[in-house]
Amino acid sequence: MTADAPKDTKSGRWVVETLYEKEGFTCAFRADKVLYEEETGQQHLVIFENDLFGRMMALDGITQVTERDEFIYHEMMTHVPILAHGKAKRVLIIGGGDGGILREVIRHPGIEHVTMVEIDPAVTEFCKKQLPQISAGAFDDPRLNLVFADGAKFVEDSKDSFDVIIVDSTDPIGPGEVLFREEFYRAAHARLAPGGVIVTQNGVPFMQGDELRGTMEKFRRLFKVASCYLATIPTYVGGPMAMGWGTDDETLMAVSVDELTRRYEAAGLVTRYYTPEVHKAAFALPRYVEAHVLP
Ligand code: SAM
């Protein structure tokens, strides 16, 4: 989709963000070089280069990942649940086709097994080729069990249990829609080992408050603790993004900064956004976000 490109652009093509089109808002990224584009059978996939954000991928016109700011989202979606859990050995990733979550998960030496369930092999195939720095070789890790399937069907059929489930999905449009339904959350809850936690990509509350509210209503029916935490990713426009938090273990959110620091150092992590202090602060919600979380 191409907007009317401003006069002084280097290239005639702009990739227009479609997420809020019906609400009358959009933004556009100049595609200085299109590296790959196809209709995969699941969704429209384009990988391109932009001067400001580096290599980027959009699915159905919605920005998924950029080279420049992906570290924020991938570090916060991964290290918050794993360090809060403290003894995680088995992780399930739903979605995450670009490999960024997987890259961060395998940095934890205590993780013994990662199952990753991605619906669209083309995303993984072309991100490995055109955005290799996102997965950084993680797909070769011997702990990985990579499954190409619908994540909702996987959790329905699986008998496996996991300490951490990370739902790195697209938005509730197209193939991602099923990952916001109560039956998916219920089946995922059944796959959590005692003391386990699920985190979900839950959109930008200032722009997508209904999405967060919908997940929280379902989480409250399924988990003892239903909340979210926040991180601000520049290319997910409209303010901080919410990461849904569901667990039956009330202690996980209360882990101290000192203990998180001990676990962070024991794992030998070096991060560019995550710190134990940021972890704790991320759960301090502004009133307008809290209004979507509370009954
Ligand atoms: N970080 C991005 C965000 O916050 O929107 C998400 C990135 S990742 C590319 C999203 C992945 O979810 C895509 O690879 C997409 O193919 C996958 N996906 C969408 N629906 C799915 C489903 N039902 N089961 C498994 N994977 C799914």
Side-chain angles (χ1 to χ4, degrees):
M1 308 198 44
T2 308
D4 295 334
K7 296 291 163 279
D8 61 343
T9 57
K10 282 187 354 185
S11 108
R13 167 130 186 222
W14 289 73
V15 176
V16 176
E17 174 67 62
T18 58
L19 190 51
Y20 307 110
E21 244 176 0
K22 65 179 179 341
E23 291 85 354
F25 169 83
T26 188
C27 61
F29 299 90
R30 190 179 62 215
D32 296 311
K33 190 171 171 209
V34 176
L35 299 166
Y36 191 78
E37 186 162 18
E38 76 158 71
E39 280 299 343
T40 69
Q42 290 289 354
Q43 49 212 337
H44 174 268
L45 179 155
V46 60
I47 300 176
F48 61 97
E49 279 180 1
N50 171 272
D51 268 0
L52 184 58
F53 290 106
R55 291 194 176 190
M56 299 181 54
M57 172 178 64
L59 292 173
D60 287 338
I62 300 172
T63 307
Q64 299 295 313
V65 65
T66 91
E67 208 176 346
R68 186 143 177 236
D69 68 4
E70 57 83 14
F71 68 96
I72 302 170
Y73 173 84
H74 292 131
E75 288 182 10
M76 288 300 280
M77 279 285 279
T78 305
H79 304 316
V80 170
I82 292 180
L83 292 177
H85 184 285
K87 308 183 289 301
K89 292 193 172 14
R90 301 178 61 78
V91 174
L92 171 62
I93 302 168
I94 302 288
D98 50 59
I101 297 288
L102 176 63
R103 177 196 75 211
E104 293 301 312
V105 167
I106 63 168
R107 293 173 64 191
H108 290 264
I111 300 299
E112 296 173 356
H113 174 92
V114 193
T115 291
M116 177 171 153
V117 184
E118 164 57 52
I119 199 166
D120 192 343
V123 175
T124 299
E125 187 187 340
F126 291 103
C127 283
K128 274 164 77 172
K129 283 196 191 111
Q130 304 292 352
L131 272 167
Q133 61 282 43
I134 304 291
S135 55
F139 287 110
D140 300 330
D141 192 286
R143 291 170 286 180
L144 173 62
N145 166 34
L146 180 57
V147 177
F148 290 118
D150 177 349
K153 178 111 182 46
F154 178 86
V155 291
E156 274 300 327
D157 300 343
S158 170
K159 298 284 174 280
D160 217 338
S161 75
F162 302 93
D163 301 305
V164 173
I165 299 177
I166 300 172
V167 186
D168 178 22
S169 71
T170 42
D171 292 277
I173 299 158
E177 193 273 328
V178 292
L179 303 179
F180 292 80
R181 290 183 189 166
E182 186 148 355
E183 49 267 42
F184 167 68
Y185 294 140
R186 181 174 299 107
H189 181 235
R191 303 279 49 86
L192 278 178
V197 56
I198 182 172
V199 297
T200 56
Q201 185 283 100
N202 243 122
V204 173
F206 191 81
M207 311 287 271
Q208 303 165 278
D210 292 350
E211 178 185 308
L212 177 60
R213 191 176 314 112
T215 295
M216 292 296 109
E217 280 166 5
K218 296 159 191 153
F219 273 22
R220 280 199 300 276
R221 288 194 283 270
L222 295 165
F223 297 96
K224 286 191 187 131
V225 180
S227 190
C228 72
Y229 59 101
L230 302 176
T232 300
I233 297 97
T235 50
Y236 299 159
V237 294
M241 163 179 255
M243 296 158 181
W245 176 269
T247 181
D248 290 332
D249 185 338
E250 287 100 335
T251 68
L252 297 190
M253 212 191 274
V255 178
S256 71
V257 168
D258 287 350
E259 178 55 19
L260 289 171
T261 302
R262 194 193 60 72
R263 295 175 185 178
Y264 176 89
E265 289 170 353
L269 292 176
V270 175
T271 46
R272 296 171 57 200
Y273 184 92
Y274 179 95
T275 71
E277 293 79 5
V278 164
H279 174 144
K280 288 297 275 186
F283 285 91
L285 305 179
R287 285 263 186 268
Y288 83 92
V289 177
E290 199 178 49
H292 294 307
V293 171
L294 298 177

